[in-house]
Amino acid sequence: MTDALPGGLSAAGQRAAAGPTQFVLPFVPYIAISVVHVAFIVLGNPLAGPTKLLLMPLLAVGILWASAGIRPWPGRALSLLLLGVLFSWLGDGSSTFFPMFEDEVPMMLACFGIAHVCYVLLMWRGRGLARGGFPKWALGYVAAYILLIALLVPHTGDLTIPVVFYGALLVATAAFAARCGGVIAWGGFWFLASDAILSFRIFTADAMPDWTSGAVMLTYTLGQGLIAAGVVRALASRSAAPASSG
């Protein structure tokens, strides 16, 4: 006995096969709070802070909702994805969750670094995610890393070594996402773009215009959402394939 619906597909598999519109439904709360949060940043609304802490919990809700019908449930892959989201949440709220530290940046780097390790392991080991080897265009990420580090290191001071390691993890996430293609690849790209802008806002704040604050969160929410939705959809499609062929 299986949980497949008539036609041989699980509930999640049918959503994946039905097209992007139906599959997006579980992520609507996340999309909505992302739009509200970015708008609050642009408008200078004090609710930007509280809404930021709602982003990753609602993304986790979307992941669990969208994956609820996948059979067999890919617990290992989804655990890595949810751990990445959890540590991203801790990174988002580093000043709130770690008030004992005078400077929030080291803990932010640590939390997001762990999140990127989770994402890299997921995209490297997750069955059905990668579509092949690294595409040639992913070499652009190596060039971006070299350029980013060259521009930042003169300003990073005592955080130079953490920044260099974090940058490598960030680029690794983008590169492994490129192997997965499609939605996941775009998620990795926008995540990298977000952290690149943020790094300049942290270490060269005087050179960055105010609008880049909104750009950081716009690209961040887009990147995280695309990675999460892309991974869940790939896992649902993977589970649907054997069911539909059998």
Side-chain angles (χ1 to χ4, degrees):
M1 179 178 291
T2 69
D3 293 313
L5 298 177
L9 299 185
S10 65
Q14 286 200 345
R15 281 198 297 270
T21 301
Q22 186 174 355
F23 189 79
V24 162
L25 179 61
F27 296 96
V28 167
Y30 170 74
I31 295 169
I33 196 62
S34 297
V35 171
V36 169
H37 173 65
V38 173
F40 281 162
I41 292 176
V42 172
L43 296 173
N45 191 297
L47 290 177
T51 53
K52 184 179 183 180
L53 295 181
L54 294 176
L55 292 169
M56 292 302 103
L58 286 178
L59 183 57
V61 168
I63 292 168
L64 292 171
W65 180 0
S67 65
I70 300 178
R71 295 294 183 273
W73 198 70
R76 182 176 299 179
L78 288 175
S79 293
L80 283 171
L81 179 58
L82 289 168
L83 277 173
V85 170
L86 171 62
F87 280 98
S88 296
W89 181 55
L90 294 176
D92 285 342
S94 56
S95 60
T96 300
F97 299 128
F98 307 104
M100 67 289 296
F101 295 101
E102 183 177 347
D103 185 359
E104 67 176 289
V105 174
M107 289 307 300
M108 181 179 69
L109 290 174
C111 291
F112 275 110
I114 296 172
H116 284 298
V117 170
C118 294
Y119 288 149
V120 168
L121 289 174
L122 169 65
M123 297 171 196
W124 175 31
R125 305 294 294 175
R127 186 170 62 87
L129 296 183
R131 298 181 178 179
F134 294 100
K136 292 181 180 179
W137 60 262
L139 288 172
Y141 287 138
V142 177
Y145 172 72
I146 294 172
L147 177 62
L148 193 63
I149 294 302
L151 293 173
L152 287 174
V153 163
H155 309 281
T156 51
D158 293 339
L159 290 175
T160 295
I161 292 177
V163 166
V164 168
F165 276 101
Y166 178 77
L169 289 172
L170 174 64
V171 168
T173 294
F176 275 92
R179 294 178 68 230
C180 302
V183 173
I184 302 174
W186 277 109
F189 170 81
W190 289 117
F191 205 150
L192 173 62
S194 173
D195 274 8
I197 300 170
L198 178 60
S199 64
F200 286 109
R201 283 189 57 82
I202 292 173
F203 296 109
T204 62
D206 293 340
M208 299 298 286
D210 291 342
W211 62 264
T212 56
S213 178
V216 168
M217 294 309 297
L218 176 62
T219 50
Y220 171 71
T221 53
L222 186 59
Q224 288 274 29
L226 290 176
I227 288 173
V231 167
V232 176
R233 183 164 189 174
L235 294 173
S237 298
R238 182 188 78 183
S239 74
S244 60
S245 62

